[in-house]
Amino acid sequence: MSDPTADIDAQRRRCLRAAAACVGLGLGLDAGASAKPVPSTAAKAAAAPPARPASGPGPVDWSAVPAPLRPVLAGSGLPAHCIGVQVQEVEGRSRLLAALNAELPYQLASTAKVVTALAALDLLGANYRWRTYAFTNGVLTNGRLLGDLLIVGGGDARLRSADLQAWFLRMQQQGLREVWGNIVLDRFAFRLRDDDFANTPPPAIDRPHHSRPDALTLDEGQLQVVVQAGARGKPVVSLIPPLAGVKVVSDLGAGGCAVWAHPASAPARSEPGTQVLAVRGQWGAGCGSREIVLAPMSHEEFTVRAVEGLWREAGGKLRGKVLDKRAPDRDQLLPNGPDGEPQLPFSVHLSEPLPQVIREINKTSDNMAARNLMLSLVRGFPSRAATMAEARQRVDSWLRRQGLQPGDIALETGSGLSRAERGKPRAMVQLLRNAWASQQAQAFIDSLPIAGVDGTLAHRMTNGRATGAAFLKTGTLLDTRALAGYVKAGSGKTYAVAALVNHPEATRALPSLDGLIEWVARNG
């Protein structure tokens, strides 16, 4: 007689393989991700080669699912082995309310950010801030720096163009108004390799959420093209941030309210390095304002052009150029002075405190900020540079200290973009229950989207008992839908919930997932 557990596991693998085959055809949000292995725990969880799903759903144990909840979970019509659920009380006797396939690993999608956030709050603490440094390499006299200005990134993924411009203004107030050398950008706080991105989709101009981690990023490499109806109906186009050497060519008519933007070829007689952004379509007087978000160039080029544009816009003068530093000087992040001792920075920009950054990550599902956050967990960072391998090891060690075992949860990027990032519903709930009893519990709960109220749940569960009472991180890939967080039931009890669906038609499970949360809120 066959082992039912083995049958379920085999069915589960076939389900995931079908999803992998769908994505491999280039149909999903993560299309283009390579299957090249990465030497980490997460790599061992990477998807198997594509295969077709079995014809039947296989044996699934429904005994831990209350009878009234079973039709809710089965309502999507998806095979039961493609759905994993655990619901457990966070306090008291920690009653298990429901469990289905809770010991099978599922792709986490953006619910992986729950793990990253909890590890960061524990390892870094609520007072943690990222620092971006400015060093002067030369004599500063009468507002003129007779040398280079070095800007060293410290991994702040939330650095915005408005922040940088305000920082430049503070430097001018400190006495630095002209740079007679170059502005040199150092982004080597992260030492990354191509293999680090083997299981994640590549960035694309229309996929800014695929941007890769960067120690000196600005606006996460995303350009806002703002189109507004101007005087006499003539549209006005502006860029945020201003990019040096980028020319906007607008070809907008007044016949409608449809507009798009894309890079174009520079005219033959343009200045060397000039790039052209074409804005086309129709934009009449009654169309108001629209923002188009693009990732039109690499982080390196984007930051170089933005720093020059913002420095000049802030009133600063630059005789040289803005240059990207091509190689690190040493393993340490900050430079030494002439005496060999660590050089004191001319100015430092501080990020928002960690809880605020985590709030933005979870409310908006910010992939790049989550990836930067995971790299920031490396022991000794930012005094020494961070690598992806060390970040994964730090997370693995932290998970062990949380009482989890190898194979319970595998994290690779911290964002959920990698298909090697998987977790068992039981393990996710165990982390959530641990977090509930921690000193950082409130900061974490405050970061989660609230059902029917804000974040990625603003338009879900808008009319029911769960509205305003469910605090959940969402997860979405083409073949994955997921929820992880807390639900406060009408009884006054709070439950930790993990619900993960992996299937090529996972979107069909959305009503079932929302129905599960509503059921917990009413019956828990």
Side-chain angles (χ1 to χ4, degrees), residues 16-313:
L16 284 174
R17 288 172 183 171
C22 182
V23 174
L25 293 173
L27 301 176
L29 294 176
D30 287 340
S34 167
K36 188 175 180 181
V38 177
S40 67
T41 300
K44 298 176 184 178
R52 291 293 179 184
S55 57
V60 170
D61 182 6
W62 287 86
S63 62
V65 180
L69 180 58
R70 294 174 191 176
V72 175
L73 295 179
S76 67
L78 299 179
H81 55 270
C82 294
I83 303 171
V85 171
Q86 177 130 332
V87 183
Q88 190 169 6
E89 191 178 347
V90 296
E91 294 177 327
R93 293 179 297 174
S94 301
R95 179 169 67 104
L96 181 65
L97 189 61
L100 179 68
N101 299 322
E103 290 297 334
L104 296 182
Y106 291 80
Q107 290 173 3
L108 293 169
S110 282
T111 58
K113 295 179 176 73
V114 165
V115 184
T116 311
L118 291 175
L121 285 168
D122 189 29
L123 296 173
L124 302 179
N127 294 323
Y128 185 85
R129 292 174 181 250
W130 286 263
R131 289 166 169 78
T132 307
Y133 300 90
F135 294 90
T136 55
N137 184 14
V139 177
L140 179 60
T141 177
N142 296 324
R144 298 169 180 169
L145 174 60
L146 306 180
D148 295 340
L149 176 66
L150 174 65
I151 298 179
V152 180
D156 180 8
R158 300 292 301 176
L159 183 63
R160 296 292 181 253
S161 50
D163 301 328
L164 190 63
Q165 189 172 43
W167 189 31
F168 286 161
L169 288 170
R170 291 199 302 272
M171 289 188 200
Q172 293 182 31
Q173 293 170 359
Q174 291 176 252
L176 174 57
R177 295 182 294 275
E178 299 180 20
V179 177
W180 284 35
N182 298 315
I183 298 178
V184 181
L185 309 182
D186 184 339
R187 60 185 74 247
F188 287 103
F190 295 160
R191 307 287 170 85
L192 303 174
R193 308 180 309 171
D194 288 342
D195 281 354
D196 295 330
F197 312 114
N199 292 315
T200 57
I205 185 171
D206 59 342
R207 298 285 176 90
H209 56 284
H210 288 171
S211 293
R212 290 173 172 172
D214 192 289
L216 183 54
T217 182
L218 185 67
D219 295 333
E220 298 189 5
Q222 298 179 18
L223 176 67
Q224 293 182 56
V225 183
V226 182
V227 182
Q228 294 176 304
R232 299 177 183 176
K234 183 178 181 181
V236 177
V237 179
S238 58
L239 302 182
I240 301 175
L243 298 180
V246 173
K247 181 181 180 181
V248 176
V249 176
S250 176
D251 183 17
L252 293 173
C257 295
V259 64
W260 63 94
H262 61 88
S265 300
R269 296 184 179 181
S270 299
E271 291 289 330
T274 297
Q275 287 203 13
V276 172
L277 187 70
V279 182
R280 295 190 169 93
Q282 297 83 37
W283 204 254
C287 295
S289 176
R290 183 184 171 188
E291 294 181 1
I292 305 169
V293 179
L294 303 172
M297 57 192 72
S298 69
H299 275 294
E300 292 85 352
E301 182 178 0
F302 184 88
T303 309
V304 163
R305 292 180 182 272
V307 165
E308 180 174 346
L310 289 166
W311 177 261
R312 296 188 187 282
E313 194 172 83

Side-chain angles (χ1 to χ4, degrees), residues 403-487:
L404 302 188
Q405 300 302 314
D408 279 351
I409 292 176
L411 221 60
E412 185 175 81
T413 71
S415 69
L417 276 177
S418 169
R419 297 188 171 276
E421 293 183 293
R422 296 188 182 170
K424 300 176 181 179
R426 185 267 309 159
M428 292 294 288
V429 164
Q430 186 173 336
L431 275 189
L432 289 164
R433 291 179 60 237
N434 290 352
W436 185 265
S438 73
Q439 293 182 345
Q440 308 295 346
Q442 196 59 53
F444 173 66
I445 295 167
D446 288 345
S447 77
L448 297 173
I450 304 173
V453 175
D454 66 12
T456 54
L457 286 178
H459 304 294
R460 290 174 63 179
M461 296 174 272
T462 57
N463 186 22
R465 185 66 63 83
T467 305
F471 308 84
L472 301 159
K473 182 70 196 79
T474 57
T476 303
L477 294 173
L478 178 68
D479 56 358
T480 301
R481 294 296 185 274
L483 293 170
Y486 305 102
V487 179

Side-chain angles (χ1 to χ4, degrees), residues 359-372:
R359 179 183 174 88
E360 293 298 324
I361 289 174
N362 285 337
K363 292 284 189 184
T364 67
S365 209
D366 189 327
N367 288 323
M368 185 180 175
R371 298 171 85 170
N372 271 30

